[in-house]
Amino acid sequence: MSKLINVTEIFGENVFSDKVMQERLPKKVYKELRKTIDEGKELDPAVADVVAEAMKNWAVDKGATHYTHIFHPLTGVTAEKHDSFITAPRADGTVLMEFSGKELIKGEPDASSFPSGGLRATFEARGYTAWDCTSPAYVREDAAGAILCIPTAFCSYTGEALDKKTPLLRSMQAINDQAIRLLKLFGNTTSRKVSACVGPEQEYFLVDKQKYLKRKDLIFTGRTLFGAMPPKGQELDDHYFGTIRQRVASYMKDVNEELWKLGVSSKTQHNEVAPAQHELAPIYAEANVAVDHNQIVMKVLKKVACQHGLQCLLHEKPFAGVNGSGKHNNWSITTDDGINLLDPGKTPHENIQFLLVLTCILKAVDKHADLLRESAADVGNDHRLGANEAPPAIISVFLGEQLEDVLEQLISTGMATKSIKGEVLHTGVKTLPDFTKDATDRNRTSPFAFTGNKFEFRMVGSRDSIASPNIVLNTIVAEAFAEACDVLEKAKDFDIAVHDLIKEYATNHQRIVFNGNGYSDEWVAEAERRGLPNIKSMVDAIPALVSDKAVDLFAKFGVFTRAELESRVEIQYEAYAKAINIEAKTMIDIAGKQIIPAVIHYTKELADTIVSVKEAGAKAKVQSRLLDKTSDLLEAAEYALDKLSEVTSIAAQKAEGEEQARYFHEEVMPAMDALRMPVDQLEMIVNKELWPMPSYGDLIFEV
């Protein structure tokens, strides 16, 4: 029997938490550090030295020998450089273990070797990591031993953001400033801070490690580039919320234990829709902490999988024909004294502050739908969005019957007088309790859905950092709040002005509200009629970053400069081209070196069989027809392989940037699909013993 876990004893034991700081820091130092964390007060170097010494001693007590600044470069994953606490040896042959405030506050990784989109040249190497003291440091235990991990931001020598954390922190400051401004207009004098809080649901696949290692496509690209569907997929819906297999349950137990030690509040776990697909969801945290925690979650999922002889796949679409994986970004805004600005209360029609916040968000999402779509743009996500498994590529907002009814009252009469109440749910079974159901249903086809006291942005890809969508959400809502405050602060009669503003926003932006089936063809036509953008691919989404509207927005709140936005556009195009190039070259390699030789071997065996059968005086019609069919498909595969090789070579000659990315999207991707088609048909014909890689059935049903 496995060891029982006491969550309350282990939770946060490897985190330099507030409790640890109170225990290990002098009271005066602790208070000064809290002022920096809570109020943004500049940190005194003398205070930093004391904090660094206490942090080092705590980490060493836990077995740490090294420390690292964890940062979020524009690669989409975290980066780190490990330094030992050891200083120069002493005369007696021993060494000192030291860690200064300067080392805590600032690190210096090479800035030229990370994607910078032209912000840094190769000869301009200096970059800095700066301690984000609002996200707790922690000790991570792995094969390298115990390492003190310090969350940081990453910027260039000239001050530009080279990461995802810096603009996220800027956006958090923007929404805090404008939300406090809004609350003061409603007479709130007690709330000192408003935070964007996030709870990201993480979907993932688990496959057997040995089978994974036999698939070059999974190794090199994270997804299967070939693969015929097995006789059974997810049609029966029997995997979703089904009993968790013992091997997977053991894995989940170890994942939870490790996450809890690191202070990550892993709460929910279950089987997802597709076979071998699962989900983990944490409790909410402030946006920057949630971003750090989600990176920890992805690392732990992969690390623990290896310990169980499994491989964790985080690609958005590792298997064609079954659901892909997303990362639902649950976003809310709350005050430091516990007020959720997205809580409608029992009578939303009377909650004027909530209605203003809600309509500001409708305005923000409608005005910047293209930016929000771009924030979820990813090579893998192109395979999900728009299919009947994920939200459509069209941004819309689901409010539910209750709030939609309130808005319709406001639009039609200028006054909302009632709110739809939740009715009693009668099950028809006497032994089951009757209870009040929610006033509105849910809609899983909506990209941006209101779910009671938060918005769920469902478009984010499973591999992606959640920093980008939250940067956009924070900034566009901050802009809407600021514009509302500009009007209300000048109003002679606040009550009349706020009612007029709510009606104006509800009327002007009602086109973004859609409660129906986002998967239907009718919605695509209706969205076009409403003038909503339908951005179908990552390549088409990228230009939104440098529109005049976006540049003005981000500059106004100091989140991005034009140069920082232009650099991200260049990086995005380059990332897309590189990813598709790797996939195309992997297909060429697998088809040329593994699949076609295996099919030729099969046709030779089949031809020999036909000769033997005919020599025995028997008919070989079935064998001959099978040989003809296989040969035709082999010829089609060879032709498609040659075509893919040709267009991939042409793509390499294209000018880097948008031209190359578009060529990969418009020419190379269709050529990849054309090669896959005959190969997948051949997989259904060729003997399993001859097929050079595990099938879909082997991968998703044998875990």
Side-chain angles (χ1 to χ4, degrees):
M1 175 180 276
S2 61
K3 181 183 176 182
L4 296 177
I5 301 171
N6 187 326
V7 181
T8 58
E9 289 183 1
I10 68 169
F11 190 84
E13 69 176 33
N14 287 344
V15 181
F16 194 68
S17 62
D18 187 77
K19 179 183 176 182
V20 174
M21 290 191 293
Q22 288 189 64
E23 293 172 349
R24 290 186 172 253
L25 295 175
K27 287 185 179 181
K28 184 178 179 181
V29 171
Y30 170 76
K31 288 181 179 179
E32 289 298 312
L33 179 58
R34 284 306 326 176
K35 287 180 181 178
T36 300
I37 295 171
D38 298 332
E39 303 170 17
K41 179 185 175 183
E42 187 173 343
L43 188 66
D44 187 306
V47 171
D49 280 333
V50 177
V51 174
E53 180 66 14
M55 190 183 291
K56 182 262 295 181
N57 290 338
W58 169 79
V60 169
D61 287 347
K62 290 190 167 293
T65 57
H66 290 69
Y67 69 92
T68 182
H69 280 190
I70 297 280
F71 57 102
H72 301 249
L74 298 174
T75 57
V77 295
T78 55
E80 55 194 71
K81 177 186 72 170
H82 300 177
D83 285 298
S84 170
F85 290 119
I86 293 175
T87 59
R90 294 185 292 190
D92 61 0
T94 60
V95 293
L96 287 172
M97 301 280 277
E98 292 185 351
F99 183 51
S100 68
K102 182 180 178 181
E103 290 168 318
L104 169 62
I105 291 172
K106 185 185 80 172
E108 189 182 335
D110 186 339
S112 67
S113 298
F114 292 102
S116 70
L119 290 176
R120 295 265 81 190
T122 302
F123 67 90
E124 297 172 318
R126 196 179 295 278
Y128 297 115
T129 50
W131 178 33
D132 174 14
C133 63
T134 62
S135 184
Y138 56 93
V139 168
R140 186 183 71 214
E141 299 169 340
D142 55 26
I147 301 165
L148 172 63
C149 299
I150 303 162
T152 61
F154 178 43
C155 61
S156 73
Y157 180 72
T158 47
E160 295 96 349
L162 296 177
D163 66 341
K164 294 177 180 288
K165 172 69 79 72
T166 303
L168 175 67
L169 293 170
R170 294 170 180 171
S171 75
M172 291 172 66
Q173 184 61 53
I175 197 169
N176 171 69
D177 292 345
Q178 301 309 317
I180 287 293
R181 187 180 166 198
L182 190 71
L183 288 175
K184 286 181 179 178
L185 288 170
F186 282 91
N188 184 329
T189 59
T190 57
S191 298
R192 296 179 303 161
K193 179 181 177 183
V194 175
S195 300
C197 293
V198 180
E201 304 167 28
Q202 179 70 56
E203 294 176 345
Y204 61 96
F205 279 83
L206 289 175
V207 297
D208 183 83
K209 180 78 170 184
Q210 294 306 311
K211 294 184 177 71
Y212 163 86
L213 292 173
K214 294 177 182 178
R215 301 259 339 191
K216 286 185 179 181
D217 48 2
L218 284 177
I219 292 171
F220 292 136
T221 73
R223 75 179 182 104
T224 53
L225 301 172
F226 301 105
M229 277 297 294
K232 178 181 182 292
Q234 63 189 52
E235 304 91 335
L236 298 179
D237 300 320
D238 53 342
H239 189 260
Y240 190 51
F241 278 34
T243 303
I244 299 170
R245 297 178 186 178
Q246 290 300 292
R247 185 180 184 187
V248 175
S250 176
Y251 162 81
M252 288 179 170
K253 172 182 174 295
D254 288 349
V255 166
N256 285 331
E257 185 171 354
E258 184 148 344
L259 290 176
W260 289 334
K261 288 179 180 179
L262 293 171
V264 179
S265 53
S266 171
K267 182 175 177 62
T268 302
Q269 61 189 31
H270 62 84
N271 289 346
E272 254 299 332
V273 173
Q277 187 185 32
H278 311 280
E279 182 178 295
L280 177 154
I283 298 173
Y284 287 76
E286 287 194 40
N288 64 316
V289 177
V291 168
D292 288 339
H293 281 184
N294 186 246
Q295 291 290 339
I296 292 172
V297 166
M298 291 190 285
K299 283 188 176 182
V300 169
L301 286 172
K302 284 185 168 290
K303 170 190 165 185
V304 176
C306 292
Q307 297 168 354
H308 285 256
L310 298 166
Q311 183 70 30
C312 176
L313 305 178
L314 294 175
H315 193 284
E316 287 75 19
K317 192 73 172 180
F319 303 103
V322 298
N323 272 22
S325 295
K327 180 147 48 189
H328 301 166
N329 188 88
N330 294 282
W331 178 88
S332 65
I333 34 181
T334 59
T335 68
D336 57 335
D337 49 354
I339 302 171
N340 184 342
L341 302 189
L342 288 175
D343 184 356
K346 295 182 179 180
T347 53
H349 67 283
E350 297 176 338
N351 192 339
I352 304 303
Q353 179 180 293
F354 165 76
L355 290 175
L356 180 60
V357 169
L358 178 69
T359 53
C360 280
I361 292 172
L362 293 182
K363 175 185 176 181
V365 174
D366 186 23
K367 183 177 178 181
H368 296 289
D370 56 345
L371 264 184
L372 200 54
R373 167 67 180 88
E374 194 284 328
S375 74
D378 176 81
V379 183
N381 236 4
D382 279 1
H383 298 286
R384 288 178 62 243
L385 300 181
N388 288 353
E389 61 172 79
I394 304 164
I395 296 286
S396 64
V397 178
F398 169 79
L399 293 180
E401 293 85 351
Q402 184 187 58
L403 294 182
E404 187 175 39
D405 177 67
V406 170
L407 290 186
E408 286 176 354
Q409 293 177 58
L410 288 167
I411 293 168
S412 60
T413 68
M415 184 70 68
T417 59
K418 60 184 176 63
S419 298
I420 296 173
K421 300 292 184 182
E423 300 174 352
V424 174
L425 181 69
H426 299 287
T427 63
V429 180
K430 291 182 178 179
T431 56
L432 295 179
D434 293 333
F435 53 85
T436 303
K437 61 182 181 180
D438 293 309
T440 186
D441 203 347
R442 288 196 175 188
N443 188 334
R444 70 181 299 271
T445 72
S446 175
F448 197 69
F450 186 75
T451 54
N453 60 2
K454 59 184 172 60
F455 276 99
E456 182 180 17
F457 185 39
R458 298 174 58 89
M459 296 180 89
V460 187
S462 51
R463 287 178 302 177
D464 285 352
S465 166
I466 58 170
S468 294
N470 288 297
I471 290 168
V472 171
L473 278 171
N474 293 344
T475 311
I476 64 176
V477 174
E479 180 192 52
F481 285 173
E483 291 173 351
C485 290
D486 289 343
V487 173
L488 296 175
E489 286 169 351
K490 298 174 184 176
K492 293 181 179 179
D493 188 315
F494 175 79
D495 291 337
I496 293 175
V498 75
H499 278 90
D500 288 347
L501 205 56
I502 291 169
K503 181 183 178 182
E504 176 189 332
Y505 288 174
T507 303
N508 293 347
H509 302 285
Q510 61 182 313
R511 69 171 187 166
I512 200 71
V513 178
F514 178 65
N515 285 350
N517 181 9
Y519 291 165
S520 68
D521 293 335
E522 291 78 10
W523 166 234
V524 176
E526 170 64 15
E528 185 176 3
R529 186 190 67 77
R530 295 187 186 189
L532 300 178
N534 185 0
I535 304 171
K536 298 180 179 179
S537 74
M538 176 180 175
V539 172
D540 294 326
I542 293 170
L545 278 174
V546 284
S547 68
D548 290 341
K549 178 182 63 172
V551 172
D552 291 344
L553 165 76
F554 288 122
K556 178 179 179 180
F557 294 99
V559 175
F560 286 119
T561 63
R562 177 183 284 276
E564 289 170 337
L565 288 170
E566 290 173 346
S567 74
R568 279 152 177 78
V569 166
E570 184 176 326
I571 290 167
Q572 292 274 60
Y573 282 132
E574 184 180 355
Y576 184 91
K578 285 181 176 179
I580 302 302
N581 186 49
I582 292 169
E583 289 188 353
K585 289 166 68 175
T586 302
M587 287 192 86
I588 292 167
D589 183 80
I590 293 173
K593 294 180 181 178
Q594 292 182 278
I595 291 172
I596 288 179
V599 177
I600 291 173
H601 185 69
Y602 172 73
T603 56
K604 182 179 183 302
E605 285 190 354
L606 193 55
D608 291 343
T609 300
I610 292 170
V611 172
S612 298
V613 169
K614 287 183 176 180
E615 287 177 350
K619 295 179 180 180
K621 289 183 179 180
V622 174
Q623 295 93 324
S624 296
R625 284 197 296 269
L626 191 57
L627 180 58
D628 288 342
K629 182 178 181 181
T630 305
S631 297
D632 289 344
L633 288 169
L634 180 59
E635 185 176 349
E638 183 189 29
Y639 175 82
L641 175 59
D642 289 343
K643 181 64 176 177
L644 178 58
S645 299
E646 177 188 340
V647 294
T648 303
S649 296
I650 293 172
Q653 306 305 314
K654 296 290 181 181
E656 292 183 357
E658 182 175 2
E659 180 185 353
Q660 187 177 61
R662 287 198 177 278
Y663 189 87
F664 271 108
H665 177 61
E666 295 168 4
E667 300 294 335
V668 177
M669 285 289 290
M672 291 168 63
D673 293 338
L675 174 57
R676 178 168 187 157
M677 190 178 300
V679 169
D680 286 358
Q681 292 180 60
L682 284 166
E683 184 182 349
M684 302 300 291
I685 298 172
V686 176
N687 291 350
K688 183 176 177 61
E689 292 75 17
L690 294 177
W691 198 252
M693 63 187 76
S695 67
Y696 270 20
D698 297 333
L699 287 165
I700 64 178
F701 284 105
E702 298 180 11
V703 179

